[in-house]
Amino acid sequence: MNRLKSNIRIKLFPRLFLLAAVLLLNGVWLSVSAQSYEEARSLALSGERAKARQLCKAILAQGFNSDVALLLGRTYAWDGMYDSTRVILNQVLERNAGNMEARDTFANVEYWSGNYDKAVEYCDLALKKNPGNEDFMLKKARIQHSSEKYEEAVRTLEELVAKNGSNAEALKKLQEFRLDVMKNRIRLNYTIDQFDKSFNRDPWQVIALSYGRKTKLGSVIARVNMAKRFGNTGLQYEIDAYPKISENNYGYLNYGFSQSSVFPENRIGAEWYHNFPKSFEGSVGIRTLFFSSSDVTIYTATFGKYISNYWISLRSFVTPGSDGTSVSGFLLMRRYFSDPENYIGLRLGYGVSPDENQNLVNPDASSRLKLKTRSVRLEFNHIINRVWIINAAAVWGSEELNSGNYSGYYTFDISITRLF
């Protein structure tokens, strides 16, 4: 009996030793793996994503780890290599279909790629697994809003608020997104230009009343302008359209006509806008003004970028003519606050803009557009009770009357808009 027990101990001892060794090695490997993961994560967050990927691949070569794989996938996504990210995320979901982090990263990747419908699908899949997940509901609403499905975004947020009325972020976004469901706006604008005595001009005044509506094809705005200049009063009728061409492209079309001497007889405008990656936007366009004695064609282009809460853009106007080509330029800077309707702006200008009605005065508009003019414009825009928008602006400018001799003018502009 003792001999039997001794034989059992002898046989079990190597196995127990081997098991202990395996457990010890596994423990060491897990410890090393955890340290390596933290190192890879630190590299990724510090911008050294190529090194982070090398370390992640080395860890995964020893055995699959979903956290490491997700980190690897995210580094691909952060560098815009979305196909590689999708391969990694599919590997994670094959092993664990309920991995919420993988669903979240998949939704981000499709959103960043502009595949909004696919991004919403991943949010919905996550919400089927966890219907009360507020993060995914917020993400879904943001994606719907980015794809201009405003009513769907509002419904998603209303559902979230019904579940948790204390979610401050959901309440804030719901207020913002409801604005976009309001497809109509009426705007009343008043502008007055005061001139130095050397101009020998009475103040110019313009009152504009417009109605705008958002449609599936883009926004349309109808406007009536009434101006008083040189002792004459006249009306101009305009229509603007901003047709959506594709996901990253939209247009601007304008037509106006007047039978009054204080406006061009006809004006036509067209422009194409394109949204580039990394929040850049550019455009090229044309304006043609038809006066009783001459026509003027102006070419324009813009280039701008969103930087955090700031929008910075540069617009140029080029006006060819028999007596030479004139060039105007405007640098615009805006600082946005709680939403797109709350901002302050500064514009520095050289030359004259044909997009401002006070510059289009028949019969001297064609010569006025070529004046050497310098201007500074300050602007304030604020929304009240989510339905009223107040805009106020002041401009100081100077025009060259003759070589080296400048005279000043001042413009004050105020408008009120009602959304509904």
Side-chain angles (χ1 to χ4, degrees), residues 42-182:
S42 178
L43 288 169
L45 295 176
S46 64
E48 298 184 76
R49 290 188 283 273
K51 291 183 180 179
R53 281 194 285 271
Q54 289 178 352
L55 190 51
C56 286
K57 290 176 182 178
I59 299 171
L60 291 171
Q62 304 300 317
F64 189 83
N65 182 301
S66 60
D67 290 335
V68 177
L70 281 170
L71 178 60
L72 176 61
R74 288 191 181 106
T75 65
Y76 281 128
W78 294 338
D79 284 339
M81 294 183 280
Y82 300 131
D83 287 339
S84 298
T85 306
R86 293 183 181 102
V87 171
I88 299 296
L89 294 178
N90 280 321
Q91 291 174 0
V92 174
L93 291 173
E94 283 173 6
R95 290 167 170 81
N96 181 6
N99 191 305
M100 288 301 210
E101 289 188 47
R103 299 279 184 204
D104 183 65
T105 305
F106 239 136
N108 287 337
V109 167
E110 300 304 340
Y111 174 60
W112 295 336
S113 303
N115 301 323
Y116 298 130
D117 291 341
K118 196 70 175 175
V120 169
E121 283 182 23
Y122 281 109
C123 290
D124 287 335
L125 288 170
L127 289 169
K128 285 182 181 179
K129 294 283 184 182
N130 185 356
N133 192 301
E134 296 180 14
D135 291 335
F136 273 103
M137 294 189 77
L138 270 171
K139 185 185 291 290
K140 178 181 176 180
R142 289 192 182 100
I143 296 168
Q144 290 170 326
H145 183 265
S146 295
S147 61
E148 298 184 2
K149 295 180 178 178
Y150 304 126
E151 294 180 2
E152 293 181 21
V154 167
R155 284 197 295 269
T156 301
L157 289 174
E158 287 176 341
E159 182 183 348
L160 172 53
V161 170
K163 292 178 186 241
N164 180 8
S166 63
N167 190 312
E169 183 67 13
L171 290 169
K172 178 183 175 183
K173 290 298 178 186
L174 182 57
Q175 286 183 328
E176 293 179 15
F177 292 177
R178 277 175 174 162
L179 281 177
D180 294 306
V181 177
M182 297 181 188

Side-chain angles (χ1 to χ4, degrees), residues 152-387:
E152 293 181 21
V154 167
R155 284 197 295 269
T156 301
L157 289 174
E158 287 176 341
E159 182 183 348
L160 172 53
V161 170
K163 292 178 186 241
N164 180 8
S166 63
N167 190 312
E169 183 67 13
L171 290 169
K172 178 183 175 183
K173 290 298 178 186
L174 182 57
Q175 286 183 328
E176 293 179 15
F177 292 177
R178 277 175 174 162
L179 281 177
D180 294 306
V181 177
M182 297 181 188
K183 299 182 181 298
N184 304 280
R185 61 173 58 199
I186 293 177
R187 185 172 189 254
L188 180 64
N189 177 262
Y190 174 73
T191 304
I192 183 169
D193 296 283
Q194 296 277 0
F195 301 95
D196 284 352
K197 292 182 180 180
S198 53
F199 270 103
N200 194 28
R201 292 175 181 165
D202 292 330
W204 291 352
Q205 300 178 71
V206 179
I207 297 176
L209 178 63
S210 64
Y211 165 73
R213 178 172 174 80
K214 293 179 181 178
T215 72
K216 291 183 178 180
L217 300 178
S219 297
V220 179
I221 302 170
R223 182 169 50 253
V224 178
N225 304 308
M226 182 175 70
K228 182 178 181 181
R229 299 158 175 158
F230 303 116
N232 297 319
T233 300
L235 293 175
Q236 181 190 50
Y237 305 92
E238 283 188 283
I239 186 166
D240 297 328
Y242 295 86
K244 184 176 180 179
I245 301 170
S246 65
E247 189 64 46
N248 293 312
N249 297 277
Y250 68 96
Y252 163 72
L253 300 171
N254 166 266
Y255 174 70
F257 74 95
S258 175
Q259 297 178 331
S260 169
S261 62
V262 299
F263 286 107
E265 293 180 354
N266 293 277
R267 62 166 292 153
I268 298 173
E271 195 157 356
W272 168 61
Y273 290 84
H274 179 73
N275 294 315
F276 295 95
K278 299 184 177 179
S279 301
F280 284 98
E281 182 180 271
S283 72
V284 290
I286 189 172
R287 313 282 190 268
T288 301
L289 312 173
F290 300 89
F291 300 97
S292 56
S293 57
S294 63
D295 303 337
V296 181
T297 297
I298 306 108
Y299 300 96
T300 184
T302 64
F303 189 72
K305 177 177 174 59
Y306 286 99
I307 303 174
S308 184
N309 293 325
Y310 293 85
W311 166 249
I312 301 175
S313 69
L314 180 65
R315 178 178 285 276
S316 64
F317 293 101
V318 178
T319 307
S322 57
D323 54 347
T325 298
S326 67
V327 178
S328 300
F330 297 86
L331 175 65
L332 173 65
M333 294 168 283
R334 280 182 179 170
R335 177 20 169 126
Y336 290 93
F337 296 96
S338 57
D339 59 54
E341 297 295 351
N342 286 317
Y343 63 83
I344 56 174
L346 170 67
R347 192 191 71 181
L348 306 177
Y350 177 81
V352 177
S353 168
D355 290 339
E356 296 178 352
N357 273 328
Q358 63 264 39
N359 295 320
L360 307 181
V361 184
N362 196 10
D364 68 347
S366 58
S367 59
R368 180 173 170 78
L369 288 169
K370 299 178 182 179
L371 288 174
K372 293 181 179 179
T373 301
R374 297 171 294 194
S375 63
V376 177
R377 175 186 171 92
L378 296 174
E379 182 181 18
F380 170 78
N381 202 86
H382 183 67
I383 189 165
I384 302 171
N385 294 331
R386 319 309 301 177
V387 295

